[in-house]
Amino acid sequence: MDGHDADDSKQSTADMTVFVQNLLQQMQNRFQTMSESIITKIDEMGSRIDELEQSINELKAEMGGAEGSPSPSAPKVKSEES
């Protein structure tokens, strides 16, 4: 019976090894997917920031073309204490 128990132990060890390897592979695949998703979102955010900067620069150019208009970045606040 000792030989049978040793075979069972070896089989259990082999099964556990396969299970752990599969689990690690699944985890690696999930991390890879998450990493790719994060990189994609960062790239999208970068593109949106670039578009926003371009829009701001276009607005600045339009505002600069109007004579005597105050800068939109420094609005004047009127005091109501007088």
Side-chain angles (χ1 to χ4, degrees):
M1 287 201 185
D2 289 342
H4 185 63
D5 288 343
D7 288 343
D8 285 347
S9 177
K10 286 180 184 178
Q11 184 61 40
S12 293
T13 301
D15 289 345
M16 184 60 73
T17 300
V18 168
F19 174 77
V20 170
Q21 287 176 338
N22 287 337
L23 187 61
L24 289 172
Q25 184 64 44
Q26 289 175 2
M27 289 175 60
Q28 182 178 2
N29 290 341
R30 287 182 183 165
F31 281 121
Q32 182 67 33
T33 300
M34 286 176 22
S35 175
E36 290 170 359
S37 175
I38 290 169
I39 290 170
T40 299
K41 290 195 182 297
I42 289 172
D43 288 343
E44 288 173 1
M45 285 174 46
S47 295
R48 292 175 74 180
I49 289 171
D50 290 343
E51 291 172 7
L52 184 59
E53 282 181 326
Q54 183 178 357
S55 295
I56 290 171
N57 288 334
E58 288 172 1
L59 287 172
K60 281 181 171 180
E62 287 177 16
M63 294 301 289
E67 291 183 28
S69 62
S71 169
S73 62
K76 294 184 179 180
V77 178
K78 293 183 181 179
S79 173
E80 296 184 15
E81 295 179 10
S82 44

